[in-house]
Amino acid sequence: MIGFAETMGNDPLEYKYVAYIDEAGDPGVKKVKPIDKPGSSEWLMVSAVVMAAHREAEVDGWGADLLTAMDSRQMREVHFAKLSPYRKLLACKHVARLPVRCFVVASNKQNMKGWRNPFAEKIPSDNWFYCWMTRLLLERVTHWVEQRSLREYGSVQKVKLVFSERGGLSYEQLNAYYQWLRYKGENQKLALGNIVYETIDMRLLEVHNHSGHEGLKLPDIVASAFFKAADIHDTRGCDPQFALALRNRMARWPDTTSGQFAGYGVKLMPSLGRLVTRTDPQQLTVFRDYGYPRQWWRDGGPQAVFSAAE
């Protein structure tokens, strides 16, 4: 089974993968905790959960299974931040059993406070930092889709991108941002990485309210688990157990049980070395557990052949 999206006046557009995208924290950089009190969250986590298109019809059932596991007749929506620690762990263990791959880009925004990016500000977007974070996420997601589809289908296939409608971002602006980046091609002033544009089509971009959409519960769980692992200001202290419970489904490079997470499935910004003097040691525990300071881009890049996975 494959997926098809309706297009205006054209034949349905085929896709073989779906990526649900959500975030935890907020993208504000004018005032940032702990430098500013009050200020926006110290961390922004942007996450994607990717699956084969034929699994799309199963997502509602996964949500129902999670509510059953939590044994709550009153709970209709799963909002990770509002769950008890016991239920947070149940939610992460639930995701870890699903046939998906998870990605997270984690930015400690202290170094971003008040920072301007003249290049990014040329993009017609009111929220360039969130766009930039999503771009880094899609570098990894589209690379995974490219390599996986080459192995499974012998050619590069499309992925449908499903965003959570949060943070006041205009997704028309997000679309314009990606189109600009593609137009710029290799002249993007980026040291590393690039989106595999063959895997995406902006006609396969959807935006939904998080409430009531079971697919978007998945990246909310992943992003929030990592936020809880690293945050000490908004969630009453770090607790990495939830993010570590996702280990079986965090993406590795290459896609094998012995591949590394750091820089691929788990991307930290800025570098671990730069954060050592700016953060409490407990905030970095989860990233060390996922393999830092070594990371994917630095240790060989994306040229390896991916092996089979379930």
Side-chain angles (χ1 to χ4, degrees), residues 106-269:
S107 174
N108 184 289
K109 298 186 297 170
Q110 289 190 64
N111 71 312
M112 299 299 297
K113 172 182 159 55
W115 191 69
R116 295 183 60 193
N117 185 331
F119 169 71
E121 288 176 0
K122 294 178 182 178
I123 312 304
S125 172
D126 294 332
N127 200 337
W128 64 265
F129 183 58
Y130 176 82
C131 290
W132 194 256
M133 287 282 289
T134 308
R135 183 235 151 75
L136 293 175
L137 183 73
L138 289 183
E139 286 178 2
R140 286 141 181 84
V141 169
T142 59
H143 173 264
W144 186 89
V145 168
E146 175 196 43
Q147 298 297 314
R148 187 63 174 255
S149 61
L150 284 172
R151 179 176 59 77
E152 293 187 330
Y153 300 100
S155 61
V156 178
Q157 301 295 321
K158 300 293 186 187
V159 56
K160 181 170 77 172
L161 305 176
V162 183
F163 287 85
S164 175
E165 187 179 35
R166 295 213 268 191
L169 175 70
S170 164
Y171 286 88
E172 289 78 11
Q173 293 171 342
L174 185 66
N175 187 357
Y177 178 69
Y178 294 140
Q179 295 297 339
W180 176 267
L181 288 173
R182 185 168 190 171
Y183 172 76
K184 293 290 288 184
E186 296 303 318
N187 187 27
Q188 296 177 19
K189 300 184 181 179
L190 296 173
L192 299 167
N194 206 347
I195 293 173
V196 182
Y197 287 100
E198 287 180 89
T199 68
I200 60 176
D201 187 308
M202 286 306 150
R203 293 173 295 174
L204 291 173
L205 187 154
E206 295 182 5
V207 182
H208 295 280
N209 191 294
H210 176 272
S211 179
H213 195 292
E214 295 301 332
L216 290 172
K217 303 295 192 301
L218 302 175
D220 172 64
I221 291 171
V222 176
S224 298
F226 276 86
F227 189 84
K228 180 60 180 170
D231 176 67
I232 59 175
H233 302 291
D234 294 316
T235 63
R236 300 180 182 178
C238 301
D239 191 344
Q241 65 170 317
F242 313 117
L244 294 177
L246 295 165
R247 190 178 184 90
N248 288 345
R249 290 300 164 194
M250 299 306 299
R252 297 173 180 262
W253 179 84
D255 199 16
T256 66
T257 57
S258 60
Q260 67 183 59
F261 301 105
Y264 195 63
V266 180
K267 170 61 179 173
L268 175 63
M269 297 169 54

